[in-house]
Amino acid sequence: DVKVTQSSRYLVKRTGEKVFLECVQDMDHENMFWYRQDPGLGLRLIYFSYDVKMKEKGDIPEGYSVSREKKERFSLILESASTNQTSMYLCASSFWTSGEGAPDTQYFGPGTRLTVL
Amino acid sequence: AQSVSQHNHHVILSEAASLELGCNYSYGGTVNLFWYVQYPGQHLQLLLKYFSGDPLVKGIKGFEAEFIKSKFSFNLRKPSVQWSDTAEYFCAVSSNSGYALNFGKGTSLLVTP
């Protein structure tokens, strides 16, 4: 079974703090993703990475950065946390392709619920 | 701009009722379509997916979805829901030229006994 783990289920931080969210996958997937999930807004892509040290901005990258130094680990960084970054953060991973020339299924972690006070 | 819309935000059904959740997308070219489900307190998991071939796809737990290219739709169906189907359902689309999924806003389904 694919396993995607996230470092914390719940996190409380103060405005202005630097926050690190860690994600690890054990399936040797090339692609990794960070989303945020908000009620009524669904999931929105923050950043993704298709290889070590490679990254691409998603739909809402402002206020976030990412790091992928090893294939299995993808970190999301909030340089200076703000209250509007209070959210559920989901990490996902997938193979480059399903073998049918299409992007493969993404597997999700349990999420980190971040509260910024 | 590419978008995915789910018609119903909240659906309440009695057990044994039939379910259909709508999903429409606006993409040009080849698309790959997914339905994900999030049960209360659990992580998001794949329900079913369509890449090519038979437009009627079957997923886990008795769910199925039909891809209608002319209508840009990928509606999710189940003939008889159970209380355990209470969850949030997300439609997602990706194109062959991209890696990322574009999600709809989700539909919250409550099945009452």
Side-chain angles (χ1 to χ4, degrees), chain A residues 37 40 45 48 96 103 105-106 109, chain B residues 36 38 49 51 98-100 105:
Chain A
Q37 182 180 12
L45 181 67
F48 69 97
W96 180 271
T105 303
Q106 290 185 23
Chain B
Y36 279 85
Q38 189 172 33
K49 62 184 178 183
F51 286 169
Y99 313 107
K105 294 184 178 180

Side-chain angles (χ1 to χ4, degrees), chain A residues 9 31 33 35 37 40-43 45 48 50 59 90 96 98 100-110, chain B residues 32 34 36 38 41-46 49 51-52 88 90 94-96 98-106:
Chain A
R9 291 301 300 270
N31 300 334
F33 308 84
Y35 296 88
Q37 182 180 12
L41 296 179
L43 278 76
L45 181 67
F48 69 97
Y50 51 91
D59 299 318
L90 298 179
W96 180 271
S98 66
E100 300 169 48
D104 197 17
T105 303
Q106 290 185 23
Y107 295 87
F108 285 82
Chain B
N32 308 291
F34 304 79
Y36 279 85
Q38 189 172 33
Q42 295 188 27
H43 61 267
L44 211 61
Q45 56 187 286
L46 182 70
K49 62 184 178 183
F51 286 169
S52 63
E88 191 149 17
F90 294 93
S94 71
S95 68
N96 271 7
Y99 313 107
L101 291 174
N102 194 348
F103 282 85
K105 294 184 178 180

Side-chain angles (χ1 to χ4, degrees), chain B residues 33-104:
Chain B
L33 301 157
F34 304 79
W35 276 97
Y36 279 85
V37 61
Q38 189 172 33
Y39 297 104
Q42 295 188 27
H43 61 267
L44 211 61
Q45 56 187 286
L46 182 70
L47 204 52
L48 48 78
K49 62 184 178 183
Y50 172 80
F51 286 169
S52 63
D54 188 344
L56 184 64
V57 292
K58 295 193 184 299
I60 59 172
K61 303 188 180 186
F63 286 90
E64 65 179 30
E66 185 175 12
F67 170 51
I68 304 179
K69 191 175 181 180
S70 60
K71 294 185 177 180
F72 299 90
S73 71
F74 190 55
N75 291 354
L76 181 71
R77 300 195 291 248
K78 186 170 183 179
S80 175
V81 294
Q82 300 172 313
W83 176 79
S84 58
D85 293 324
T86 293
E88 191 149 17
Y89 293 82
F90 294 93
C91 179
V93 180
S94 71
S95 68
N96 271 7
S97 60
Y99 313 107
L101 291 174
N102 194 348
F103 282 85

